[in-house]
Amino acid sequence: MHDPASFVDLEIYPIDQTGSAAFNRLISGIHTDLEEKGCAHLPGFVNQSAIEAIQKEADTVAEQAYRSYNLVNPYFTVDDPGLDPADPRRQFEKRSNTFVPADNFGQNSPLRALYEWQAFTDFIRISLSAPTDQFYCYDDPLADVIINVVDPGDGFPWHFDTNTFTVTLGIQPGQGGGIFQYSPNLRSPEYQNYKGVSDVLNGDPASVHSLLLEPGDLQIFLGRY
């Protein structure tokens, strides 16, 4: 069995010291990043030896990846011919969706060990300011822990996440490309901002942030808006 406490750089990220001054400073910085940018980036969260173990695991199960390819708009909705052709809801691009399902990561999985570590769960919950009684590990046996696989030419086009947040660990960078781009707070529940969405789709970089996740980097991302 793996000890997830040995995976994390606890000097920089003391996630096992809930309530300590160092822990509170860490959380304060994450809260600021999430509020201002919708994204918190924690470089070197997982150490090199743990990443090597996770990379080895990923190589072992990569052939079990499920693949699908389709055309999507940023909202994952069907085309509405009644809208103007320039409306972002009518802008469809190719999307690849390739991932290794969670049932490939058993009890001896280093990735699962980190995911199921209570200190890690508590850290994510506190980072998101979520109430204890409203925060759970994902109950889907195929989707709680997955590894995304990206082949040459694959990618995700611009989209709004259907879930409130995602937590991503960088495992292995691409030989080229692979930069994560996002536009913070582009819309809200009260204002869809279709003009702003169209600007991003048409290549306007004014609101776009770019991030390259290196192996061991952790990202907490609020992607719904």
Side-chain angles (χ1 to χ4, degrees):
M1 299 294 290
H2 298 275
D3 176 16
S6 67
F7 293 179
V8 178
D9 188 336
L10 296 175
E11 290 292 325
I12 300 176
Y13 304 109
I15 67 171
D16 61 338
Q17 300 176 34
T18 305
S20 69
F23 181 89
N24 290 339
R25 284 194 297 271
L26 172 62
I27 294 297
S28 178
I30 291 172
H31 284 172
T32 298
D33 286 343
L34 291 178
E35 181 177 351
E36 295 180 355
K37 299 182 293 186
C39 179
H41 175 214
L42 286 68
F45 183 84
V46 171
N47 61 45
Q48 182 61 31
S49 61
I51 282 296
E52 289 174 359
I54 293 172
Q55 288 174 343
K56 182 178 180 180
E57 177 180 38
D59 288 340
T60 300
V61 299
E63 64 181 17
Q64 303 301 321
Y66 167 81
R67 288 174 165 81
S68 66
Y69 303 90
N70 51 13
L71 291 173
V72 298
N73 66 10
Y75 308 90
F76 297 111
T77 56
V78 299
D79 189 25
D80 183 352
L83 298 173
D84 188 289
D87 190 291
R89 290 167 289 184
R90 301 204 66 193
Q91 305 305 305
F92 287 80
E93 297 184 52
K94 294 180 181 178
R95 176 180 186 263
S96 62
N97 183 24
T98 304
F99 67 94
V100 179
D103 59 348
N104 289 279
F105 306 103
Q107 291 306 307
N108 197 39
S109 160
L111 191 61
R112 180 167 294 284
L114 177 63
Y115 175 80
E116 294 184 347
W117 185 26
Q118 188 62 49
F120 181 71
T121 301
D122 291 341
F123 164 66
I124 298 299
R125 175 181 58 79
I126 296 169
S127 294
L128 294 165
S129 301
T132 304
D133 62 351
Q134 297 180 24
F135 193 82
Y136 309 94
C137 287
Y138 206 2
D139 201 33
D140 187 333
L142 297 180
D144 60 349
V145 177
I146 67 170
I147 288 181
N148 289 313
V149 179
V150 184
D151 293 318
D154 286 354
F156 288 0
W158 283 104
H159 64 276
F160 292 106
D161 287 348
T162 54
N163 47 300
T164 303
F165 70 92
T166 55
V167 180
T168 304
L169 175 67
I171 297 176
Q172 179 174 291
Q175 294 177 333
I179 296 175
F180 178 74
Q181 294 184 305
Y182 63 100
S183 180
N185 302 313
L186 186 59
R187 67 171 182 172
S188 71
E190 298 79 23
Y191 178 51
Q192 286 296 322
N193 188 22
Y194 293 124
K195 171 62 167 60
V197 177
S198 290
D199 289 342
V200 171
L201 294 178
N202 292 327
D204 185 346
S207 69
V208 175
H209 293 221
S210 297
L211 173 64
L212 179 62
L213 282 182
E214 299 288 355
D217 291 4
L218 190 77
Q219 178 194 43
I220 304 173
F221 181 61
L222 307 181
R224 179 169 286 177
Y225 302 115

